[in-house]
Amino acid sequence: MTTLESLAQAIDNASDAGDEKQLRQLSLECEQRIETAEGEDRVHLLYYRANTYAGIISSRQHDDSYKWDWEQLDGVQNILLLRRAIKEPAFKSVNPVYQCQIRTNLASRLNDLGRPLAANEQWLETLATIPRFAKALAGRAKAISFYTSFLYDTGHQACLLDAAKSMFDDALQDGIWESGDRATYESDLTKEREQIEAYLIQVAYDGSFDLNQWSLGRSKAERSYRHWCLSQRLFINPLNDIYTESIAATDVLHLPDHTYEIAETPRFPAYFNLLKQEYVSARYRLYRATHEDDPGFLMRDVRMLDSGENQVLGHYVEELRSAFGSAYAIFDKIGLFLNDYYRIGLDPKKVSFRRVWFEKKDQLRPIFRDHPNWSLRGLYFLSKDLFDESFSDVAEPDANDLAQLRHQLEHRFVSFQQIQNGANTETHRLMQIDDFEKKTLRLLRMVREALIYLSLAMHREEFLRKQETKDKGGITGVFAPWPIEAFRRL
């Protein structure tokens, strides 16, 4: 049996040669060894197997049609394996540089598939480990620069480009580069940085303004809540992926101007209003559950018996349950939005976020296949982070567990504990409360990501439809809704 070092070198050689057959054989060897590997060796083997898929993808990059191909099965496997490596208990004990390589590779693949916000989370984790890791700084800068081209708010574009320019500077001036990487990337990074600077000069952008000049609220409670949302990057606002200052403390993103056929009901702003409202309410419930005490009177005189399982009980537990369930339900409503907007025609009772993309099992609808809408493709690949028994492929190792947890919260007994102990049964699941809080936060971040992609995908789609209408001489009506205030009970 070859050593791990020899296996890694063989994968590098096959990748350099673009030898797909050899890479798939090496992938199989890694898979077989993963089954019995433990500790850091298991992390390495998961990473090496991910690299076999990265090599296969790289061998096809000369084909422009492949870049827009939505059937990226190798890309999904690459993401899944890198995530599995990160979730290994031994991951935190491997060399920090190695950790950063794994996270940076994951970020790059997510970004390639249209998920810059999920990629941003991995770059931030990388930079928290090694703050000057140049490949993460440069990759994040390039991703933000590209991402801005899909925004319809020019103010947001300039603000994010200014941040990207600073990241390019950090990478080029102070970055810690791996062997040979600086020489490979320096020229392209410098050129892109200069293009951004020229654009910012052209639009007379003043980057010296105070990013904290906006109010976070009238009360201490509101300011505390908004600080938390900023720190967790939970505002539906592209700026919040970069900034945690008050400039990003609004859920400002909505739908772009869009068109309807004459006499067609303008309904999509109403859909998006409801999606945002459900998300914001779920977000606030998570905040209350983790930051505020239970009302003292609520559980007073409610007799509870010691079950011997050290149950954590109280209203805040129900707030957590509600936040998780509400967040998860938003995904299927996004599926309903897509079903209507793209005129797919599925029976609404049969729509789900995973199923809306396919006309038959694992057969992508023609309307989506190879469609040049990067944000829409990102939304599609985000759907692969959720489990559906009708589909075999997932890109998230915990997808099945999240789906089971949703079902158990609604139809079974789930008890939370400070320290998990005891055995699960088909009827009753025991779970550590801290773990459930983390899963709920992760779910909310996914929902936020999906809502932003939905808006940006519609922006791109409206541009494509406008071109098509112009070519065909069709007539549509532009709908540009005004902001409204939420109803307040007097």
Side-chain angles (χ1 to χ4, degrees):
M1 182 180 292
T2 57
T3 65
L4 288 180
E5 292 78 8
S6 299
L7 180 59
Q9 187 61 56
I11 293 170
D12 287 345
N13 293 340
S15 296
D16 291 342
D19 189 339
E20 181 175 340
K21 182 179 179 180
Q22 177 67 7
L23 285 166
R24 293 201 183 278
Q25 289 176 344
L26 290 166
S27 178
L28 181 60
E29 180 179 344
C30 288
E31 181 182 23
Q32 292 168 343
R33 294 177 66 167
I34 287 168
E35 292 178 2
T36 56
E38 297 179 350
E40 293 186 19
D41 283 355
R42 185 174 172 86
V43 176
H44 289 136
L45 284 164
L46 286 164
Y47 178 48
Y48 295 161
R49 190 172 183 221
N51 287 344
T52 65
Y53 287 102
I56 292 167
I57 295 166
S58 179
S59 70
R60 299 180 182 179
Q61 287 304 303
H62 63 280
D63 182 358
D64 288 338
S65 64
Y66 179 76
K67 295 178 182 178
W68 273 112
D69 184 5
W70 284 38
E71 302 290 347
Q72 295 273 356
L73 300 180
D74 294 320
V76 172
Q77 282 299 309
N78 177 254
I79 289 171
L80 180 63
L81 288 161
L82 291 170
R83 284 173 164 171
R84 285 178 60 192
I86 291 169
K87 289 182 182 296
E88 283 292 315
F91 176 76
K92 293 182 179 180
S93 66
V94 302
N95 187 298
V97 172
Y98 207 79
Q99 295 178 37
C100 291
Q101 289 172 335
I102 292 174
R103 288 195 182 277
T104 301
N105 287 2
L106 174 56
S108 296
R109 184 66 58 222
L110 287 165
N111 187 64
D112 286 346
L113 296 182
R115 296 190 60 187
L117 307 189
N120 186 57
E121 295 294 329
Q122 296 304 320
W123 279 313
L124 287 173
E125 290 284 352
T126 300
L127 295 172
T129 303
I130 301 179
R132 294 189 295 128
F133 196 75
K135 203 167 183 180
L137 288 167
R140 190 176 183 223
K142 288 174 68 67
I144 292 167
S145 177
F146 186 63
Y147 174 52
T148 61
S149 64
F150 296 88
L151 302 179
Y152 51 84
D153 186 314
T154 55
H156 283 181
Q157 287 178 332
C159 200
L160 290 175
L161 284 171
D162 186 54
K165 179 169 72 73
S166 296
M167 292 175 204
F168 278 124
D169 288 339
D170 290 342
L172 291 165
Q173 296 171 12
D174 301 314
I176 299 173
W177 292 88
E178 298 175 71
S179 177
D181 278 355
R182 186 182 185 96
T184 302
Y185 298 112
E186 185 172 17
S187 177
D188 286 342
L189 297 179
T190 301
K191 182 178 180 181
E192 190 161 350
R193 189 258 182 219
E194 290 173 349
Q195 289 173 340
I196 291 174
E197 185 173 43
Y199 172 79
L200 293 175
I201 292 172
Q202 177 185 339
V203 300
Y205 178 76
D206 179 10
S208 64
F209 69 92
D210 182 7
L211 297 172
N212 262 323
Q213 63 184 282
W214 287 267
S215 171
L216 288 179
R218 302 174 183 176
S219 67
K220 181 179 179 181
E222 182 180 358
R223 291 191 293 273
S224 175
Y225 166 65
R226 291 186 177 277
H227 271 301
W228 175 79
C229 291
L230 282 169
S231 67
Q232 299 299 330
R233 295 178 299 283
L234 290 175
F235 279 110
I236 306 176
N237 186 333
L239 296 181
N240 195 201
D241 290 291
I242 308 303
Y243 301 106
T244 55
E245 291 84 358
S246 62
I247 189 176
T250 58
D251 295 294
V252 67
L253 189 73
H254 210 284
L255 298 183
D257 296 348
H258 51 283
T259 61
Y260 295 91
E261 299 294 334
I262 300 302
E264 185 181 3
T265 302
R267 58 205 177 276
F268 298 113
Y271 293 171
F272 204 74
N273 284 345
L274 294 171
L275 291 170
K276 286 183 73 173
Q277 175 178 263
E278 291 185 43
Y279 167 77
V280 169
S281 296
R283 182 180 69 191
Y284 184 53
R285 286 196 290 275
L286 174 60
Y287 172 79
R288 279 196 314 208
T290 54
H291 288 76
E292 297 180 1
D293 294 331
D294 277 357
F297 62 85
L298 189 62
M299 299 300 290
R300 186 184 303 151
D301 297 328
V302 177
R303 177 172 292 183
M304 298 286 190
L305 301 180
D306 186 352
S307 64
E309 293 172 338
N310 299 311
Q311 285 179 305
V312 176
L313 299 169
H315 177 66
Y316 89 96
V317 174
E318 297 310 311
E319 292 271 46
L320 274 175
R321 290 176 187 266
S322 178
F324 184 96
S326 296
Y328 210 117
I330 292 172
F331 289 115
D332 287 342
K333 292 175 184 178
I334 291 174
L336 285 169
F337 188 112
L338 295 169
N339 186 53
D340 194 345
Y341 182 69
Y342 283 95
R343 299 180 175 88
I344 292 170
L346 276 176
D347 182 342
K349 294 191 292 293
K350 297 180 180 180
V351 171
S352 75
F353 189 43
R354 282 295 315 253
R355 298 177 193 179
V356 72
W357 308 95
F358 301 93
E359 56 183 358
K360 295 179 182 178
K361 184 178 181 180
D362 295 333
Q363 186 174 332
L364 203 62
R365 295 183 186 281
I367 194 172
F368 298 128
R369 193 178 303 128
D370 306 329
H371 192 49
N373 187 327
W374 188 60
S375 298
L376 184 65
R377 189 168 77 158
L379 195 59
Y380 164 70
F381 280 104
L382 190 155
S383 76
K384 292 181 179 290
D385 281 4
L386 299 178
F387 176 80
D388 187 305
E389 61 184 11
S390 300
F391 303 95
S392 58
D393 64 322
V394 291
E396 170 55 61
D398 291 341
N400 190 17
D401 181 61
L402 284 176
Q404 286 185 356
L405 180 55
R406 181 196 188 189
H407 177 79
Q408 290 164 337
L409 287 168
E410 293 176 354
H411 305 289
R412 300 288 188 272
F413 295 108
V414 179
S415 288
F416 298 103
Q417 304 169 312
Q418 292 291 354
I419 300 175
Q420 186 173 342
N421 62 76
N424 293 325
T425 69
E426 187 68 25
T427 301
H428 190 191
R429 174 172 177 170
L430 303 175
M431 188 174 186
Q432 190 166 324
I433 189 72
D434 289 348
D435 186 31
F436 185 56
E437 289 176 7
K438 291 175 183 177
K439 289 181 185 298
T440 305
L441 176 60
R442 178 154 59 91
L443 196 60
L444 280 169
R445 284 180 174 160
M446 289 170 60
V447 172
R448 172 188 180 267
E449 183 184 0
L451 292 174
I452 291 177
Y453 295 159
L454 180 62
S455 173
L456 300 185
M458 189 173 179
H459 175 53
R460 172 62 177 169
E461 200 66 31
E462 289 299 311
F463 171 80
L464 296 173
R465 290 183 182 185
K466 184 177 180 180
Q467 297 300 111
E468 183 179 351
T469 302
K470 186 186 298 182
D471 293 341
K472 293 182 179 180
I475 299 176
T476 58
V478 177
F479 186 74
W482 291 92
I484 60 171
E485 289 290 328
F487 171 77
R488 289 178 174 83
R489 189 180 301 278
L490 297 178

